[in-house]
Amino acid sequence: MSYAGDLTPQEAWKIITEDPTAVLVDCRTRAEWSYVGVPDLTGTGKQTVFIEWVSFPDGAKNSDFVAQLRAAGVADDQQVVFLCRSGQRSIGAAQAATADGIDKAYNVLDGFEGAIDAEGHRGAAGWKAVGLPWRQS
């Protein structure tokens, strides 16, 4: 594994709430943030960092991802939790962060709304499904 590891949404929440320097990076697209919702860290006194891993609608990889991560103030010694829709893009984000010197870069398993189920729907797993705070933006 070329990043610190995978976390359940609950484990991610524990890090975010217990480590004062931990950061949550939502690496989904602007469209997902707008139409699906976003994690709500209001109760923690923190704010989610929003940086697209790929752009919408063309799906092109964001070549400035690491630079934008650094511009947002993310430092090498922080625990950084990456969240996407289903826990796939966030693996790439965690790998890129690790390659740039962030040793504690984690992926959230099942992401914000999980993989597609047998009926072709999302939402049975992930951040929203386990009842972690979120809101429509």
Side-chain angles (χ1 to χ4, degrees):
M1 184 174 294
S2 57
Y3 56 98
D6 297 316
L7 303 171
T8 66
Q10 297 92 329
E11 291 168 333
W13 181 250
K14 183 174 179 170
I15 287 173
I16 292 161
T17 57
E18 293 182 1
D19 178 348
T21 66
V23 178
L24 176 64
V25 178
D26 188 330
C27 59
R28 295 176 296 147
T29 65
R30 293 178 192 281
E32 289 168 303
W33 303 328
S34 295
Y35 297 108
V36 179
V38 296
D40 184 359
L41 302 186
T42 304
T44 69
K46 297 179 179 182
Q47 292 185 354
T48 304
V49 174
F50 296 99
I51 305 171
E52 291 180 309
W53 178 248
V54 298
S55 61
F56 178 83
D58 63 0
K61 184 178 175 189
N62 177 3
S63 60
D64 293 326
F65 182 82
V66 172
Q68 291 170 353
L69 188 64
R70 296 306 193 168
V74 176
D76 288 352
D77 61 346
Q78 291 177 286
Q79 292 193 85
V80 185
V81 177
F82 292 94
L83 177 75
C84 69
R85 178 183 60 207
S86 61
Q88 298 303 308
R89 286 173 283 174
S90 47
I91 291 172
Q95 290 171 332
T98 301
D100 198 61
I102 299 171
D103 292 331
K104 296 175 269 185
Y106 299 95
N107 168 56
V108 178
L109 294 168
D110 296 319
F112 192 66
E113 56 181 335
I116 295 174
D117 65 17
E119 285 87 38
H121 303 122
R122 294 188 191 278
W127 186 279
K128 288 171 69 174
V130 300
L132 293 176
W134 69 281
R135 63 178 170 77
Q136 292 296 144
S137 56

